Amino acid sequence: MKKMITVLVVLLIFSCNSSKDDKKEIKIEPTIEIVEPPILNLEQANKLAHLPLHCINTEYPNRLSQTLGGDEDLKSPTELHPAFYGCFDWHSSVHGHWSLVSLLKSFPNIDNADVIKQKLLNNISKQNIESEVAYFYGKHNKSYERTYGWAWLLKLAEELHTWDDETARQLESNLQPLTNLIVGKYIEFLPKLNYPQRVGTHTNTAFSLSFAYDYAEALNHDELKHAIKARALYFYKHDKSCPITWEPSGSDFLSPCLEEAALMKRLLDSVDFKAWLDSFLPQLKDVNFNLEVGIVSDRTDGHLVHLDGVNFSRAWSLYKIAEGLPEYKHLENIANIHINYSLPAIFGDRYEGGHWLGSFAIYALNSAREWLI
């Protein structure tokens, strides 16, 4: 899939001090690797669909991230989370379902489309979602999956809302009570959050706000949009000189600097955003800017494989930052390199990455496709 094109470089030839041999020194600039944008086609979609299909109804292994209030809380994953019990943890199950919806929406002729739709209907049933809502009302569960799982739930709701299909209408209706609950939780929580979380893992605030804002935009939910924009500007408007050279940390799957920039791109007009970005990440404007991929040394390690995730999430952030801004077009190539490094490695029987990385790959590939349109 990956096709490399080597860019010719200019040879800078200059004369040294005159001598008997009239020697000349040649300096060769490093070549720039140009990578074609990755394409999400039907063949890729069929391969990617196998990842969530393999795990959305796989109960074990399972990490519940649960606070136990008593013996009555000791229940199986399917009892606690009848809709989203698979794929190792709740949030991975949610974005595994998002993956299937996204693929069906883009490729109606995907293999086993009817089987996939039925699995979605079985899991995201009205009764199952009622049980999921009830879980959040438990005494010890008020902050459950805050805010990473919340963000993916709204991304799933957004994908259903924008999918013109009868199955989508049924799924959206079934999911609505949980969607409403999460929207309300955002609106209640954001004014209380005095400081953002600037990390490369689940609790990254900018990532969560970006996905929630996408949902609010798609459904024209003004109250949620205003809540997100007010808090994001309070957190980030005066940020400068983000230390991107510190990234990534050893188990990051998000880029704190790039996620923040991608969020601000959503919230500011182009003039204000470019001024903000010049102060926040001035190096991005340099056409020679480079960002080494996150290198994965052991894909059987559930934490080290996170770095494949950072490659996909960096890519979707870079596409967003450069969207509609010709002076940042060179960032597209960096995004392409990041996707192409990690994409071949996510297929296979390694559950450590297979239970979640497909979603990251699909979202990155969707972002690449939007860039090309």
Side-chain angles (χ1 to χ4, degrees), residues 124-136:
I124 308 176
S125 68
K126 182 178 179 181
Q127 182 178 359
N128 286 350
I129 294 303
E130 287 174 354
S131 296
E132 295 283 358
V133 169
Y135 183 86
F136 279 90

Side-chain angles (χ1 to χ4, degrees), residues 30-35 244-245 247 258 283-293 314 318 330-331 333-335 337-338:
T31 59
I32 302 172
E33 184 182 65
I34 304 297
V35 179
I244 197 167
T245 56
E247 300 180 18
L258 296 179
Q283 61 269 55
L284 261 58
K285 201 170 185 178
D286 183 353
V287 295
N288 295 314
F289 172 73
N290 189 36
L291 188 62
E292 184 185 53
V293 298
R314 278 179 172 180
L318 288 166
H330 55 279
L331 299 181
N333 189 59
I334 299 172
I337 291 170
H338 275 67

Side-chain angles (χ1 to χ4, degrees), residues 18-82:
S18 59
S19 67
K20 192 183 296 182
D21 298 321
D22 194 25
K23 294 179 181 178
K24 292 185 177 181
E25 182 179 343
I26 298 177
K27 181 180 179 182
I28 301 179
E29 298 282 343
T31 59
I32 302 172
E33 184 182 65
I34 304 297
V35 179
E36 289 188 343
I39 302 298
L40 179 56
N41 54 29
L42 181 59
E43 180 183 0
Q44 286 272 29
N46 282 320
K47 291 172 67 178
L48 286 163
H50 284 297
L51 297 173
L53 279 175
H54 176 67
C55 75
I56 62 169
N57 295 124
T58 299
E59 188 170 10
Y60 297 104
N62 201 298
R63 183 177 181 178
L64 288 172
S65 300
Q66 182 183 12
T67 299
L68 298 176
D71 290 349
E72 66 277 6
D73 293 332
L74 291 169
K75 298 177 182 178
S76 70
T78 50
E79 290 178 283
L80 293 168
H81 300 292

Side-chain angles (χ1 to χ4, degrees), residues 91 94-95 97-99 101-102 105 147-163 175 179 182-183 186 207-219 224 266 316 320 359 363 366-367 370:
H91 52 257
V94 170
H95 61 68
H97 287 76
W98 169 85
S99 295
V101 171
S102 178
K105 177 180 168 184
T147 55
Y148 183 75
W150 296 4
W152 275 110
L153 191 285
L154 293 190
K155 183 57 68 176
L156 171 59
E158 175 198 349
E159 203 71 32
L160 289 171
H161 183 75
T162 55
W163 179 24
L175 188 66
T179 303
I182 297 302
V183 168
Y186 266 106
F207 164 81
S208 168
L209 295 185
S210 288
F211 272 25
Y213 193 80
D214 290 345
Y215 167 85
E217 281 273 89
L219 281 87
L224 182 58
R266 288 166 163 86
W316 74 52
K320 186 65 180 180
S359 302
Y363 192 71
N366 286 348
S367 300
E370 290 170 8

Side-chain angles (χ1 to χ4, degrees), residues 44-316:
Q44 286 272 29
N46 282 320
K47 291 172 67 178
L48 286 163
H50 284 297
L51 297 173
L53 279 175
H54 176 67
C55 75
I56 62 169
N57 295 124
T58 299
E59 188 170 10
Y60 297 104
N62 201 298
R63 183 177 181 178
L64 288 172
S65 300
Q66 182 183 12
T67 299
L68 298 176
D71 290 349
E72 66 277 6
D73 293 332
L74 291 169
K75 298 177 182 178
S76 70
T78 50
E79 290 178 283
L80 293 168
H81 300 292
F84 304 120
Y85 62 85
C87 298
F88 188 67
D89 48 39
W90 193 86
H91 52 257
S92 297
S93 182
V94 170
H95 61 68
H97 287 76
W98 169 85
S99 295
L100 294 174
V101 171
S102 178
L103 292 171
L104 282 168
K105 177 180 168 184
S106 298
F107 301 96
N109 296 323
I110 196 170
D111 290 350
N112 301 312
D114 291 339
V115 172
I116 295 172
K117 285 183 177 182
Q118 191 57 56
K119 282 181 175 288
L120 290 169
L121 288 166
N122 290 343
N123 288 8
I124 308 176
S125 68
K126 182 178 179 181
Q127 182 178 359
N128 286 350
I129 294 303
E130 287 174 354
S131 296
E132 295 283 358
V133 169
Y135 183 86
F136 279 90
Y137 283 107
K139 179 180 178 181
H140 302 285
N141 303 329
K142 292 180 174 60
S143 62
Y144 184 68
E145 287 288 350
R146 190 175 72 192
T147 55
Y148 183 75
W150 296 4
W152 275 110
L153 191 285
L154 293 190
K155 183 57 68 176
L156 171 59
E158 175 198 349
E159 203 71 32
L160 289 171
H161 183 75
T162 55
W163 179 24
D164 185 14
D165 185 272
E166 289 183 11
T167 300
R169 299 288 67 75
Q170 183 63 56
L171 292 168
E172 183 180 23
S173 176
N174 292 349
L175 188 66
Q176 198 64 54
L178 184 55
T179 303
N180 293 343
L181 176 72
I182 297 302
V183 168
K185 282 185 170 294
Y186 266 106
I187 293 170
E188 178 187 16
F189 173 63
L190 287 179
K192 301 176 183 179
L193 185 64
N194 288 329
Y195 311 99
Q197 300 221 40
R198 305 173 188 273
V199 297
T201 50
H202 302 85
T203 54
N204 181 280
T205 302
F207 164 81
S208 168
L209 295 185
S210 288
F211 272 25
Y213 193 80
D214 290 345
Y215 167 85
E217 281 273 89
L219 281 87
N220 198 28
H221 196 300
D222 288 338
E223 186 179 6
L224 182 58
K225 278 196 290 187
H226 294 329
I228 293 168
K229 186 169 185 177
R231 219 62 191 141
L233 294 180
Y234 174 79
F235 291 149
Y236 305 123
K237 187 176 181 179
H238 301 292
D239 281 0
K240 297 179 180 180
S241 303
C242 194
I244 197 167
T245 56
W246 293 5
E247 300 180 18
S249 295
S251 58
D252 278 357
F253 55 86
L254 299 169
S255 162
C257 290
L258 296 179
E259 287 292 341
E260 180 176 336
L263 171 63
M264 295 298 278
K265 176 64 181 295
R266 288 166 163 86
L267 303 179
L268 300 175
D269 63 40
S270 60
V271 173
D272 288 342
F273 175 70
K274 287 190 287 186
W276 179 87
L277 191 60
D278 280 344
S279 179
F280 183 68
L281 284 170
Q283 61 269 55
L284 261 58
K285 201 170 185 178
D286 183 353
V287 295
N288 295 314
F289 172 73
N290 189 36
L291 188 62
E292 184 185 53
V293 298
I295 298 172
V296 183
S297 59
D298 182 2
R299 288 191 168 89
T300 67
D301 187 302
H303 286 277
L304 295 179
V305 78
H306 278 186
L307 292 165
D308 277 324
V310 89
N311 291 328
F312 293 130
S313 63
R314 278 179 172 180
W316 74 52

